Amino acid sequence: NAGVTQTPKFQVLKTGQSMTLQCAQDMNHEYMSWYRQDPGMGLRLIHYSVGAGITDQGEVPNGYNVSRSTTEDFPLRLLSAAPSQTSVYFCASSFRTVNTGELFFGEGSRLTVL
Amino acid sequence: GQQLNQSPQSMFIQEGEDVSMNCTSSSIFNTWLWYKQDPGEGPVLLIALYKAGELTSNGRLTAQFGITRKDSFLNISASIPSDVGIYFCAGRTGTASKLTFGTGTRLQVTL
């Protein structure tokens, strides 16, 4: 079982470039989300989705876009990268109907914007 | 946006020592969770708490859901080198899957 798979694991961008971080899960989870992790800030929610075709903003959505065309995939797009978006990004998923609150995380994507 | 405050920010302890960390919030949560992140990995769930006052153990780990529903505590007994990592608390309101995470406690264990 692959669980939550994120690609790429590492990426370096120049300011103004665009890119997409990919996230796929094979657990048939309805809920998927993106977090960013910064030193001293913990994990902050960027965007989330409760099912295919439904997305919503989290705590720090500016500069990021998402879409959810299938249950399995939840890509995160940076339209014009800025140095402030240098961070480690985590995708996480869970069942929406199982009331445990447990999220399953990917291994992370480390992004550096120069 | 709301964040949970964890303390301490970091800890350096010797193998065999007990560890205590806590998490506080200005808001009420109906679920508290504790996650551990190993270096280079994503966080993994350790313990989940669902009722105020609840005390739950998982091996050497014990966590409590504060009676005010605004705080939670995690204790690790007899620490070992593989306990090294970052520990995050997380809170949830309602039945939504959306979690609010704490700022993390970095644990280092020396031999």
Side-chain angles (χ1 to χ4, degrees):
Chain A
N1 241 353
V4 179
T5 303
Q6 291 183 234
T7 57
K9 286 190 169 29
F10 301 93
Q11 182 72 49
V12 178
L13 291 178
K14 294 181 180 177
T15 297
Q17 286 186 317
S18 63
M19 78 155 299
T20 299
L21 299 177
Q22 302 290 346
C23 175
Q25 53 89 12
D26 61 359
M27 297 174 282
N28 206 29
H29 286 166
E30 302 96 338
Y31 179 85
M32 295 186 74
S33 55
W34 278 101
Y35 286 85
R36 59 177 291 173
Q37 181 178 15
D38 302 291
M41 302 292 287
L43 293 159
R44 292 181 293 169
L45 182 64
I46 304 171
H47 285 286
Y48 64 98
S49 168
V50 298
I54 306 169
T55 64
D56 207 345
Q57 295 181 347
E59 182 186 352
V60 288
N62 293 340
Y64 307 95
N65 279 354
V66 292
S67 59
R68 184 92 180 270
S69 56
T70 67
T71 300
E72 293 79 19
D73 300 298
F74 191 45
L76 179 72
R77 280 181 283 274
L78 285 72
L79 300 178
S80 179
S84 61
Q85 293 178 305
T86 293
S87 187
V88 182
Y89 292 85
F90 287 98
C91 180
S93 70
S94 74
F95 287 113
R96 187 179 171 192
T97 54
V98 176
N99 198 25
T100 64
E102 178 175 8
L103 286 178
F104 293 84
F105 284 83
E107 292 186 335
S109 297
R110 184 177 294 273
L111 175 66
T112 301
V113 183
L114 303 174
Chain B
Q2 178 187 334
Q3 271 195 315
L4 303 179
N5 295 314
Q6 277 185 250
S7 64
Q9 270 192 318
S10 62
M11 305 179 73
F12 292 82
I13 63 169
Q14 285 196 320
E15 184 178 7
E17 288 184 351
D18 296 342
V19 173
S20 291
M21 60 189 78
N22 67 72
C23 190
T24 60
S25 169
S26 57
S27 301
I28 289 174
F29 290 102
N30 62 13
T31 302
W32 282 94
L33 305 108
W34 285 90
Y35 283 80
K36 183 196 177 198
Q37 183 182 27
D38 289 328
E41 303 286 331
V44 174
L45 181 67
L46 296 174
I47 290 180
L49 303 153
Y50 302 106
K51 287 193 328 188
E54 179 181 355
L55 188 71
T56 297
S57 293
N58 179 8
R60 292 179 297 106
L61 278 61
T62 301
Q64 183 159 25
F65 191 141
I67 57 172
T68 66
R69 297 168 64 195
K70 292 184 178 181
D71 56 11
S72 181
F73 307 87
L74 177 69
N75 295 314
I76 305 172
S77 63
S79 58
I80 59 177
S82 61
D83 290 335
V84 165
I86 303 177
Y87 291 79
F88 290 103
C89 63
R92 184 180 67 157
T93 57
T95 57
S97 296
K98 191 168 61 166
L99 299 180
T100 298
F101 279 84
T103 47
T105 294
R106 184 180 294 273
L107 180 63
Q108 302 270 33
V109 179
T110 58
L111 298 175

